[in-house]
Every structure is written in structure tokens, then in C-alpha cells.
Amino acid sequence: MGVTGGQISPVRSRERFLLGESVVGSVRGSILNSWMRSRMLGLSPEQTDLPYTDDFDADSRLVRAAAPVLDQLQTRFSGSDMNISLADGNGTVLQRRFGEPALAGRLPPIQSVPGFVFAERYAGTNGIGLALAERRLCQVYGAEHFAERSQGNACSAIPIRDQFSGHIVGVLCFGYPRGYENPSLPVLVRRAAESIERRIMEQSSARERALLRTYLDARLRARGGETGDDGQLIGLAELTDGGLDRQDQMILKARATELICSPQRAAVEVSLSHGRGVTLLSSPVTSLSGVEGVVVEAVLTGESPPAHHLAASKHTASALGALSLAATEHADSLPWHLADAAADRAAAARSAASDAPGTPADAPSDIPGAVRGLVLVGEPEVGKYAVAARRRLELLAEASTRIGTTLDVSRTARELAETAVPRLADYVTVDLPGAVLRGEESADPQADLRRTVVHGIRDDCPFYPVGHQVRLDPGTPHMRCLEGEPAVLETNLQATTPAWMIPGLDHARGILAHDVHSMICVPLLARGVLLGIATFYRSQEPAPFGDDDTRLARELAARAALCIDNARRYTREHTLALALQRSLLPRGLPEQGAVEVAHHYLPAESGVGGDWFDVIPLSGTRVALLVGDVVGHGLHAAATMGRLRIAARNFAELELAPDELLTHLDNLLVRLDREEEDASATGSNGIVGATCLYAVYDPTSQVCTMARAGHPPPALVDPEGRVTFPDLPPGPPLGLGGLPFETAEIRLPEHSTLVLYTDGLVDGRGRDIDVALDQLREALAHPGRGPEDTCRAVIEAVAPEHPGDDIALLVARTRTVPPDRIATWDLPPDPSLVADIRGAATRRLAEWGLDELSFAAELMLSELVTNAVRYGSEPIQVRLIHDRSLICEVSDGSSTAPHLRRAATTDEGGRGLFLVAQLSQAWGARYTPHGKVIWAECALDAA
């Protein structure tokens, strides 16, 4: 031993460390952390002086429990150079044993005489100090010791704990030459420590037995050695035969444990099942050996007690006085200093009994007809540990319901802090990397660690505020957690400023000024991913954190980490779904002159839905308005929404009527649903359906044609501000297949407002849709407001504060094309009239100031009119519209549409549509109930 990873000796590694070089990977983590602390404390390897004190208890409980074990170890190592040390919880050596007795004379006093303090802050890295700092079995080899004087030896050390409290009360350390290293030594030192811990617990058991024996003897003495049925003392198990079930026993023991915590006389009534009443009586008692404890009896009266303390009750006061008297009448057999105290307690008990209202001075010592049973006997400190253990269990049970109520990372972290304060800690901070807050895994948590939660018993928490970027120095508890330690406990911050606080001394002083005296730092780990750090601080509670508190903090952190990871994964999926959804929604509205449009999209808090909207310019200055909602939430709904929206745009480009467009969408959804059913073996969720509202507004006629598929009807606001909800044919939701859709036509005056929305705006759990529609009506009844202001007002007035479904809102205020910008001619099917149309069109263009477009318009009209006369049927109509562009339309009664084709060099015709396509910026055909319309648009700046 003495050689670490990479064949670099500890001597060389330590020299490199002292020179400021990196030794990460070549030195064990616990040793490196201890070296860092030693250097921050200003210790030097040449330092030889250690504090010495002779003010230690050489006959303490620890020494008495360890003495037989140390004797056995000394015998086991007889004749060897083994040095066995027993230190207390502060690192002060209490006992030393040597395998070779002569070794004590050869070693310097610092290594052979009890009384020297080997705490890390004085001695640097060593077995005793490292075991106290790491709170676990530690081994130090040769040059891993920080001080030069110890580098010729190796050691194994382990903390010794009081099993009742969990506190470290001492350290057992084996020191030996490096050549003695053996894998069995750590096992032996662990077994020896466990043996000492068992003996400490046996001491406590013996003390409790002495208390019980003293109490029973005193009670028998108080009754004059008589026995009888009245007031007979029995065990709790026998009392169970009188009607106490297991739940009742647990209640009694829990309350009795609380009474033991306070070494005072008390009487407490407890309500049990079936209307039974039990009075718990507690009384202090002192054993012959001077051990002070508390005995708790249960008096079963068979009546249901009132919900208040029984101190004023006749029987209770009497029994209480008798109980205390029985515990102290044997004072003549106690040592004089205990007898006086016992007599004082007896006098006080008799006084309390006689002063109780309605209690005669000669009250009997027992409650007539009552059944009494012994519940618990113990020392107050043991009772406190038991109560603390039960409260820790209660806190864990509560944590399972309080932590993780939402799928929000920051909120979950705060729930951890709120659960721990004040029942475990006085202050809690939670630091998470920015990547975790965004739903990602952090590749380097310490590089982007941010304060996420600060919570405590006071508002002026002395810690960095939320949002502060936390920078960690090597050797700090936080950094050690990030580097893999399961928890770091600091038990005494006030006695001496820890070494890791020195670099940030000003901030440390602010923390210590709030009386913060101990802390626990725990990493937040879930599914192998490091999510951050939770730190617990204690200031108001006098007792510092212990190992039991550390285990509780780790359990709380583990539960919170799992919930934070769930929230992180949800955040990531929600972000992905929201990004997908937003990429599939319109990023901007197209230019068109038919309506003035504004929109608002509000995603649900609990998940991304499949709501969408669209504005699609159509030929002839018309515009299509579309709002839809896919059933369900998540990526699947968002992807389905994108497919439907793209399909709807494509169908709209085909100039389909609203009812026909919905029929095509319905067929598409049926096919998609069938595909999902075929893929159900892979775990895909089938598409349930969708709703949709499709409207086409024509500003030349001011007619809006609408059809809906299971969607809420739109709201119409006329120029005077009157709001109506037109009764459109409802139509079935998309995806059912085979059911017809109907259209409705409504004439809209100029500056009317058409409001399309999804059901998330007016419907939802706990909402009355009629009330919501009334709110919508009230919010819309403002005729002078523009679409943007209308959107904002509707969301503020109608949308729920925490939407459970997506909300898509589309507000369109109508415009019209003035009649003087529309020219219409009806033609008979006569080819000779084509020239007349060209002339009329040229004159109208001149009136509009579009002379530069005359040539292109004449050519396009010639081809379109000639095709209508030659291949179409009556009625034939020509229309010019001067809007954002010049639109030429030729309609006829035929349903046969022309097709653009490539004409061969030998063909005499077939080039008309090609010419139209070259002269226009767009052209196409649409069908009407009476035939078709061939149209072409020419940009106003085309000339």
C-alpha cells in the first residue's frame, strides 16, 4: 500500500498538491478533500503541536463500554506494533492500547498519551480526524497523512455511534506500520466498533430495567405489599384483552413516548375507538444508581373522555398524587442527595393532589374500578429520540404527497424546501443547472448552476437570491456532492469557520450572523442523472444535524430528485411539442385585402394540444379563414394538427367549397386513423377526431360562406357593436366518415367583425359555457376596437387563468372592394365580340390609371374569352377587379377546366394558357354552382 492509481506515490502526489498542481485521479477523493481543507485552514505538514487537555472523562459511558473490547484487541495484537486509540466525538484521545507495551515508551507523547486532540482542523489528514469528517470507515496510508510526523504509519478508523440517537460519540482507530496492511483489518475495526455500540445500548437497557425495578418496588411498598383487583397494575398486553386493539396500542405508545420526553408529572386523556377513554399518567422516578427516568401508566376508565386536559379531575389528580408518592416513598433507601429531591417531588405531588378542585385530602391512591396498565418506562433523552424518529417517518410520509404535485421543475424544487422547513431545517436552498430548468440534461452541472429556491423561517434569508449563478470552489460541500459524494454534513459552523468558507468569507459571515450552525448538502440524483444540489441549514434548533438527519435529507432529496426528473422530462417533451406545434402554425399572416386580421394562440399549461388557425388568400380577392382543434394533447396531437393544416391549405388552393373541403379533411382523417390502427402493435395512440370551422369571405359581394364540423359557431359583430352567434349547421366532427356537411351564407356589412375560436376559450372543467359565451359577447360589444385590441380584450376577459386546453383565436374585420373598382361584362358566345371586350377593358384600365397593364390584360382576356366562347357554354361573363393586383376573370356555364400543356412546333394551337401563365403572376380555375371561373392576376408593378 502507499501507491495509488497510475503508479504515482502519495509522497509525489502530496508534493504536487502543495505546489498547486492538479492531483485529481491520482489521489483518493476523501484524501484530496481533506488535503484541501487542511490547506484552507492554513495547516502545514511540518506542524507538530496539537492541543492537549486533561479535562476529559476517563470513566465515561464510552470508556466503560469500550474497555472490554480494547482489552480483547490488545490481547489479539499482543507482541505487535499495533496502536489502538479510542477518541471521543471531538477527536480527543481517551484511551490508548499497544500490542507491545514497550511501544508506549518508544513513541512520542503525541502518539502515546491520551488527551491530545486529533480533529482535522488541528492535525490535518489523519485517521481520527478523517473518520469524524467523513463520518464513515476511513483508511489513511503513509504520505496520505498531511503531517510529516505521521507519514511512516497507516491507520484504519471508524466512528462509534449511540444507536438510540445516531450521534457519533467516539472513534476507534487502529494505527500500524504500513507493512501490517491486511484486508481483514477494516473488517476487524468495524466489528470492534459494532461491539462497543452494542455495549453502549446494553447500558441504556440496564438503566431502563433499573428504573422499572425501582418503580415497581416503590409501588408495592406504597400499597403495603398488598395486591388486589382495584387499581391492579398490569401490562399493556393484558390491558389489550380489555378491548384495546393494535391501533389503540400504537396511539397510547406514541403519546406515552411524548410524555417520557419531559421528566414531569402529567396526566393526559386519550380518546380511543369505541368511545373508550384512557388516562395516561406519567411520573418521574430515580433508580438506586441515580438514573432519572419516567414511567407512564394507562388508566382505562371505560368512559369517553372530554377533549381537554384532566388536571382538574378528581380521580386523575388523586391517581397522579398517589403515583408520584409511590415513586418517592422509598427515599430513605436512596443516596442522600437523591432522597432530598425525591422528597421534594413527593411533597409537590401531595400538594397538587390536595389542591385539585373537589379532591379531598385523603383521596384514595387509585381510581376505583379502573384498570391500570404499564405502557412505557424510559429516560427522557431516549424518549426524545423516539419522538424524533416518529416525526421523521411522518415527514417522509408527508413528502410523498407534498413533493411532485406539478410537472414544473422549479415548483417541485420549492416543494422540497417547503416540506423540509421547519420540521427538518430552518433554511433550504436548491441549486439546479440552467439546462435542467429547460428540460435538458446538463453536461457540466457546476458550469451553469443557478440558485433556484431559497426558503426559510425568515424572509431575510442570508443566502444568494434566486437566479444567482452559483460558483463553487474545490473542497466545498457543494462541489464534493457534484463530484460524487452522497451527502456532506457540517455539524459545527459556529465553533470555527470551516475551511471551505474561507474563500467567500464575507458571504460566510452573513450566513453565520443568522446563527446558522450546521448544514447538510445532498446531491439531487435520479436515474443516474445529476440534477442539482439541495442544502439544508439549521439555526433555531439548538441541536445540530446528525446522521439520522442526513439520512432523512437524502431520502427527501431522492424523492424530490425523481419528481424533478419527471418534471424535467415533461418539460423537455412539452418544449419539443410546443416547438413542433409553433413550427406548424402560421408564422405570419399573408398579405390580402379582404379582411384585417389579428390572432392569438395560448397553449395549455398541462400539455400541448392540436389547435390551429390559418388565413388563406384565394382568387378574386377572397380569403379563407380556418380554425380547428385535434382531440388530445402531446406530440401526436401536434403532428396530426400539422398534417390537417397542410391538407386544408392544399384543398383550399383547389378552390373547394367549404362543405367539400371538410369532406376531404374527413376522409383524410379516416385514412390516418386506419393507419394508426394498423400500427397499434407499436403502441401508437389512435386519432380520436378533430373539429373545424371553415369560412370564405368575398369582399366583392360581402358574402361569407361557412361550414363547420363539430366546432363552436363563430361570433359576428356588426358595425354597431351587436354580437350574434349564427346558427350554422353543426356537422359531425372530422374522422367519423361518410356524413355530409352543410354550408351557410351570411352577408356581412363592411367593418363587421368575424371571431373564430376553439372550445378552449369557452369550455372546460368547472366552467359554464353559457356564462363564458356571455363574457365573450360582452368583450366583443365594442364596435370601434380593432382586431388586435379585440384579441387582447377577449383573452383577458374570457380565457381561464390556467387553461387546461389550447386556445386559438382569430379576429377578422371585413373590408369591401368599392363598386367603381369592379367592371363586369356579360357576353353571348360570339367570337367577334372578343375585340369589343378588349377595347372596353382598355378604357376601364385607363380610368383606373393602369394604362401600362393594357397590353398584358388585352392578351390575357383575348385568350380567356376565346376559350370560353369556343369550349364553354352560356352564360359567359368577364370581370376586372382593381385591388392589390389586377384580376381578370372569365366565367362560363361549363364544368370543363382547361389544362396547361406543352404545344409541339407543328401544333396550330394550345399556346393560349401558356401565354396567360407567362403574362400573369398567378392563374387558375375555380368551380361555382353554375360552372367555372378562369382567373389570372397581374401585379400592378408588372409593367
Side-chain angles (χ1 to χ4, degrees):
M1 307 305 292
V3 177
T4 59
Q7 302 300 316
I8 300 176
S9 71
V11 176
R12 174 59 181 150
S13 296
R14 183 171 149 278
E15 291 175 353
R16 289 171 52 202
F17 170 79
L18 293 174
L19 292 174
E21 299 179 20
S22 174
V23 293
V24 176
S26 61
V27 178
R28 290 185 291 136
S30 58
I31 299 297
L32 180 57
N33 290 331
S34 180
W35 284 359
M36 290 181 179
R37 293 192 295 268
S38 299
R39 185 170 61 180
M40 290 179 180
L41 287 165
L43 301 179
S44 66
E46 294 79 17
Q47 186 173 353
T48 58
D49 294 334
L50 289 180
Y52 174 79
T53 178
D54 56 4
D55 185 20
F56 60 88
D57 189 355
D59 191 34
S60 65
R61 292 179 61 190
L62 173 62
V63 173
R64 292 198 305 271
V69 179
L70 296 179
D71 291 342
Q72 294 176 6
L73 291 173
Q74 185 174 15
T75 301
R76 181 185 182 101
F77 293 112
S78 176
S80 71
D81 289 341
M82 182 66 72
N83 181 355
I84 306 167
S85 302
L86 177 70
D88 64 15
N90 297 318
T92 303
V93 176
L94 306 177
Q95 290 273 303
R96 284 193 181 274
R97 302 293 177 90
F98 303 95
E100 174 56 53
L103 190 62
R106 298 197 302 265
L107 293 174
I110 201 172
Q111 297 182 8
S112 59
V113 178
F116 285 96
V117 183
F118 280 81
E120 190 181 68
R121 63 179 180 272
Y122 303 121
T125 308
N126 71 94
I128 293 174
L130 190 60
L132 289 174
E134 297 288 324
R135 310 183 72 83
R136 57 186 173 89
L137 174 65
C138 295
Q139 295 174 278
V140 185
Y141 308 112
E144 289 183 336
H145 287 86
F146 195 76
E148 297 280 1
R149 63 173 178 270
S150 303
Q151 293 178 13
N153 299 316
C155 61
S156 295
I158 188 171
I160 299 172
R161 289 179 168 83
D162 184 332
Q163 294 298 303
F164 280 116
S165 65
H167 296 164
I168 293 177
V169 295
V171 177
L172 180 64
C173 180
F174 289 0
Y176 44 85
R178 283 179 292 178
Y180 275 45
E181 179 57 38
N182 190 294
S184 63
L185 283 178
V187 178
L188 181 60
V189 72
R190 187 186 299 277
R191 289 179 178 175
E194 291 173 352
S195 180
I196 296 174
E197 290 173 351
R198 284 196 301 270
R199 293 182 61 82
I200 293 175
M201 188 159 53
E202 288 171 0
Q203 289 180 359
S204 298
S205 299
R207 292 156 67 96
E208 287 188 354
R209 287 195 298 271
L211 286 172
L212 178 60
R213 183 168 54 252
T214 301
Y215 177 76
L216 293 177
D217 289 346
R219 188 176 186 279
L220 184 61
R221 194 186 192 99
R223 295 176 57 85
E226 300 176 359
T227 60
D229 293 334
D230 265 1
Q232 182 182 9
L233 181 65
I234 62 176
L236 189 59
E238 298 175 60
L239 197 64
T240 303
D241 296 336
L244 294 183
D245 57 20
R246 182 178 296 274
Q247 183 67 23
D248 290 338
Q249 293 184 59
M250 292 177 62
I251 295 174
L252 287 177
K253 288 182 179 179
R255 296 300 302 274
T257 305
E258 295 174 359
L259 290 174
I260 288 179
C261 294
S262 178
Q264 300 175 1
R265 296 186 304 276
V268 176
E269 290 192 349
V270 181
S271 299
L272 303 178
S273 58
H274 309 297
R276 306 199 66 177
V278 170
T279 301
L280 290 181
L281 305 177
S282 69
S283 176
V285 60
T286 304
S287 71
L288 294 176
S289 60
V291 178
E292 296 186 357
V294 177
V295 175
V296 180
E297 285 183 339
V299 181
L300 185 62
T301 63
E303 300 177 356
S304 179
H308 55 72
H309 197 276
L310 200 59
S313 169
K314 170 181 175 181
H315 290 314
T316 302
S318 173
L320 181 59
L323 188 60
S324 300
L325 178 63
T328 54
E329 273 194 355
H330 68 300
D332 55 344
S333 63
L334 296 177
W336 66 268
H337 62 286
L338 298 177
D340 290 344
D344 291 342
R345 287 196 296 270
R350 286 191 292 270
S351 175
S354 61
D355 291 343
T359 303
D362 58 346
S365 63
D366 287 311
I367 302 175
V371 180
R372 297 173 58 177
L374 182 63
V375 181
L376 285 178
V377 58
E379 298 178 73
E381 289 301 314
V382 176
K384 292 178 182 178
Y385 299 145
V387 170
R390 189 179 76 246
R391 289 175 178 170
R392 284 193 289 268
L393 289 175
E394 292 172 350
L395 182 58
L396 283 177
E398 182 179 331
S400 63
T401 59
R402 289 191 62 181
I403 300 176
T405 59
T406 67
L407 287 172
D408 180 82
V409 173
S410 298
R411 178 59 197 162
T412 303
R414 184 164 187 83
E415 287 170 347
L416 166 62
E418 291 173 347
T419 301
V421 175
R423 295 167 64 180
L424 172 62
D426 297 316
Y427 301 98
V428 175
T429 63
V430 180
D431 304 321
L432 302 177
V436 172
L437 295 172
R438 296 189 299 269
E440 306 166 3
E441 291 186 14
S442 178
D444 185 11
Q446 58 181 297
D448 189 26
L449 202 63
R450 297 189 175 276
R451 182 60 45 86
T452 305
V453 174
V454 178
H455 182 63
I457 56 176
R458 293 169 53 178
D459 294 334
D460 58 335
C461 294
F463 306 100
Y464 290 125
V466 173
H468 179 83
Q469 185 167 3
V470 180
R471 301 186 182 278
L472 304 179
D473 295 316
T476 63
H478 304 78
M479 181 62 77
R480 292 166 62 186
C481 286
L482 289 179
E483 291 173 347
E485 293 199 28
V488 178
L489 170 63
E490 293 280 352
T491 58
N492 198 350
L493 302 180
Q494 291 287 341
T496 175
T497 303
W500 58 268
M501 278 189 165
I502 293 175
L505 193 56
D506 292 339
H507 182 61
R509 286 171 178 164
I511 295 177
L512 298 178
H514 281 66
D515 299 324
V516 174
H517 55 72
S518 58
M519 62 167 284
I520 303 171
C521 192
V522 186
L524 297 172
L525 283 167
R527 302 180 179 97
V529 178
L530 180 60
L531 301 172
I533 304 171
T535 310
F536 305 82
Y537 299 89
R538 185 171 281 180
S539 63
Q540 298 297 315
E541 174 68 32
F545 285 123
D547 289 323
D548 288 339
D549 298 313
T550 303
R551 284 187 283 270
L552 177 59
R554 288 181 61 184
E555 180 64 25
L556 291 176
R559 297 188 182 198
L562 191 61
C563 295
I564 289 174
D565 192 49
N566 291 337
R568 178 190 66 83
R569 291 168 180 256
Y570 170 79
T571 300
R572 180 185 61 189
E573 293 181 3
H574 181 75
T575 302
L576 288 174
L578 192 58
L580 173 63
Q581 183 188 51
R582 287 177 173 170
S583 69
L584 297 174
L585 289 172
R587 298 189 179 183
L589 297 180
E591 295 184 0
Q592 45 81 37
V595 291
E596 180 186 356
V597 184
H599 62 88
H600 190 91
Y601 190 90
L602 186 64
E605 286 189 352
S606 58
V608 174
D611 293 18
W612 87 94
F613 64 91
D614 214 339
V615 177
I616 308 170
L618 301 178
S619 63
T621 71
R622 298 172 308 136
V623 65
L625 306 174
L626 179 67
V627 169
D629 182 5
V630 175
V631 176
H633 292 84
L635 285 172
H636 189 268
T640 303
M641 175 271 291
R643 299 168 80 174
L644 286 179
R645 176 175 172 258
I646 292 173
R649 288 190 68 90
N650 292 334
F651 294 147
E653 293 288 343
L654 296 176
E655 302 281 1
L656 298 178
D659 56 340
E660 294 178 0
L661 182 139
L662 294 181
T663 300
H664 281 76
L665 288 180
D666 182 55
N667 293 334
L668 172 64
L669 203 55
V670 170
R671 290 196 299 273
L672 293 177
D673 198 14
R674 190 177 300 118
E675 293 174 2
E676 293 292 337
E677 290 178 358
D678 294 339
S680 59
T682 63
S684 300
N685 296 320
I687 299 171
V688 178
T691 64
C692 184
L693 173 63
Y694 184 72
V696 176
Y697 173 68
D698 187 347
T700 63
S701 63
Q702 301 180 11
V703 172
C704 183
T705 306
M706 292 180 280
R708 64 185 178 119
H711 202 83
L716 295 179
V717 186
D718 65 16
E720 285 73 33
R722 290 185 294 269
V723 182
T724 59
F725 297 92
D727 187 16
L728 302 181
L734 301 176
L736 299 182
L739 298 176
F741 299 96
E742 299 181 55
T743 61
E745 292 187 354
I746 302 175
R747 192 176 186 281
L748 302 179
E750 186 177 8
H751 303 312
S752 297
T753 301
L754 182 64
V755 181
L756 287 72
Y757 53 90
T758 55
D759 59 357
L761 179 67
V762 296
D763 198 4
R765 182 178 301 176
R767 300 188 70 193
D768 188 331
I769 189 170
D770 292 330
V771 173
L773 289 175
D774 289 340
Q775 294 173 342
L776 178 59
R777 187 192 309 272
E778 183 177 350
L780 294 175
H782 298 274
R785 205 157 46 191
E788 286 288 351
D789 294 335
T790 300
C791 263
R792 190 178 304 110
V794 168
I795 293 299
E796 292 176 355
V798 187
E801 184 177 356
H802 303 285
D805 193 8
D806 290 16
I807 297 174
L809 178 64
L810 190 63
V811 177
R813 184 162 64 179
T814 63
R815 297 168 176 164
T816 60
V817 178
D820 59 355
R821 291 204 169 195
I822 303 173
T824 305
W825 298 277
D826 295 320
L827 295 177
D830 185 355
S832 63
L833 298 178
V834 174
D836 296 338
I837 290 298
R838 287 200 303 267
T842 300
R843 290 190 295 273
R844 183 55 63 93
L845 291 177
E847 294 176 5
W848 291 342
L850 301 177
D851 299 272
E852 66 277 8
L853 296 178
S854 298
F855 177 74
E858 286 186 38
L859 289 178
M860 289 189 297
L861 285 176
S862 295
E863 295 298 333
L864 295 179
V865 173
T866 300
N867 283 339
V869 171
R870 184 177 298 176
Y871 303 110
S873 60
E874 295 186 275
I876 300 174
Q877 187 181 75
V878 177
R879 187 168 71 159
L880 290 180
I881 303 173
H882 179 200
D883 193 51
R884 302 171 67 89
S885 62
L886 177 64
I887 303 172
C888 303
E889 294 183 347
V890 178
S891 63
D892 66 81
S894 172
S895 59
T896 302
H899 297 281
L900 180 65
R901 66 183 180 88
R902 179 180 294 276
T905 55
T906 57
D907 291 342
E908 295 182 1
R911 297 176 178 82
L913 287 180
F914 177 77
L915 181 60
V916 171
Q918 294 300 310
L919 294 173
S920 64
Q921 66 177 6
W923 75 278
R926 67 174 183 269
Y927 294 95
T928 68
H930 308 292
K932 67 177 183 296
V933 177
I934 309 298
W935 56 270
E937 290 186 9
C938 188
L940 297 183
D941 58 353

